[in-house]
């Protein structure tokens, strides 16, 4: 902004202020829901064989569970919501560029500004019978928006 110019402001509309570019602060940090294992789960899949997690009694490998938990967050900023709901994918390897035995955790960051037209459409899309399905099959206790 050049000297002497006034910032563009619309009185009745929440919007990002361009006056102080580095001035957007995190106002709240919310703890995301905990991922739980199902009641049938008795062990983690071995690190070298994560595909065993498709069995009802086997959870994802422990290194994946820990990495996903460490990556998950929810921030409330002055003008937006930001959350990370990480997922996993095959690691780089020799089989068509993918590893058959190892997985990596990828971040899936979403930022939704308060003046976004879709912000009013955010709702709780928790699956039906969530508590029962989580108890039996595992998963996230609460889903992110």
């Amino acid at each position: 902004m050049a000297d002497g110019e006034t910032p563009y402001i619309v009185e009745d509309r929440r919007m990002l202020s361009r006056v102080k570019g580095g001035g957007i602060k995190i106002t709240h940090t919310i703890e995301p829901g905990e991922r739980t294992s199902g009641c049938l789960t008795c062990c983690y899949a071995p690190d070298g064989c994560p595909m065993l997690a498709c069995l009802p009694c086997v959870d994802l490998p422990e290194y994946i569970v820990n990495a996903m938990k460490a990556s998950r967050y929810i921030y409330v900023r002055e003008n937006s919501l930001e959350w990370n709901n990480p997922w996993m994918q095959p690691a780089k390897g020799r089989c068509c560029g993918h590893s058959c035995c190892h997985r990596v955790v990828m971040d899936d960051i979403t930022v939704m500004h308060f003046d976004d037209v879709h912000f009013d459409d955010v709702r709780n899309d928790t699956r039906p019978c969530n508590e029962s399905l989580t108890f039996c099959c595992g998963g996230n206790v609460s889903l992110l928006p």
Side-chain angles (χ1 to χ4, degrees):
M1 184 179 307
D3 290 335
E5 285 185 33
T6 59
Y8 178 74
I9 297 174
V10 177
E11 291 299 324
D12 295 329
R13 181 173 175 253
R14 288 181 286 179
M15 59 189 288
L16 179 66
S17 172
R18 295 184 186 148
V19 176
K20 296 180 184 176
I24 299 171
K25 307 234 183 312
I26 296 173
T27 59
H28 295 86
T29 302
I30 300 171
E31 283 297 317
E34 291 289 321
R35 182 186 180 281
T36 59
S37 299
C39 66
L40 300 175
T41 304
C42 59
C43 62
Y44 291 106
D47 290 352
C49 196
M51 64 281 299
L52 286 178
C54 67
L55 299 173
C57 61
V58 181
D59 200 358
L60 295 169
E62 194 169 12
Y63 76 94
I64 293 175
V65 171
N66 291 339
M68 290 176 91
K69 183 177 181 180
S71 266
R72 191 170 279 138
Y73 66 86
I74 303 171
Y75 293 150
V76 179
R77 298 177 192 253
E78 294 175 1
N79 65 338
S80 64
L81 278 174
E82 176 181 331
W83 66 90
N84 184 18
N85 193 18
W87 53 282
M88 67 175 184
Q89 73 176 23
K92 289 185 179 181
R94 296 186 183 141
C95 181
C96 299
H98 299 294
S99 172
C100 297
C101 301
H102 296 286
R103 302 288 184 259
V104 293
V105 173
M106 300 297 297
D107 288 329
D108 184 14
I109 298 170
T110 304
V111 177
M112 183 172 280
H113 294 274
F114 294 145
D115 64 351
D116 188 331
V117 295
H118 299 289
F119 189 78
D120 291 334
D121 296 334
V122 175
R123 63 187 183 280
N124 184 357
D125 282 337
T126 305
R127 60 190 176 185
C129 303
N130 185 51
E131 288 79 19
S132 300
L133 288 172
T134 301
F135 177 75
C136 294
C137 305
N140 293 327
V141 173
S142 62
L143 300 176
L144 294 174

